Amino acid sequence: MDYPLLNLFLTMLYFFLWIAWLFLLFRIILDIFRSADLGGWGKAGWTILIVFVPFLGVLVYVIARGSSMQERDLQHARESRQAMDRYITETARGAAPSTSPVDELTKLADLHKSGAINDDEFAAMKAKVLA
């Protein structure tokens, strides 16, 4: 009971700042490894700088590459959106690729010749394809 209210607020503030710092740190590390314009040594150098000298490393990274972070985020969002749109389009079309009526009639004729379907079934399926 010897913990004043102001100390509680300060503790909550420190905790919030610590969480914000972790978000920033992970965000920058993610940006380093997502960046296509950095080579392996560049990624390793930035990571080492951020791990061993975190405050200075993050400050220098944000100053040096902060403006391009947003561009990489937008590019990643565009790519994700395009992939989602392609997936939705392919799923909406159905799993089986669409074939032309000529291809379907050829398959039906082959089935009819082999005796897999009789004349009535062939006529019904042919009418369905041509409809």
Side-chain angles (χ1 to χ4, degrees), residues 3-17:
Y3 200 68
L5 187 61
L6 183 59
N7 284 349
L8 177 67
F9 289 139
L10 285 175
T11 301
M12 289 172 45
L13 176 68
Y14 293 149
F15 183 72
F16 172 77
L17 290 175

Side-chain angles (χ1 to χ4, degrees), residues 6-32:
L6 183 59
N7 284 349
L8 177 67
F9 289 139
L10 285 175
T11 301
M12 289 172 45
L13 176 68
Y14 293 149
F15 183 72
F16 172 77
L17 290 175
W18 180 68
I19 295 296
W21 168 252
L22 288 177
F23 271 106
L24 179 64
L25 195 64
F26 289 125
R27 170 69 188 88
I28 289 176
I29 290 173
L30 178 71
D31 186 67
I32 289 171

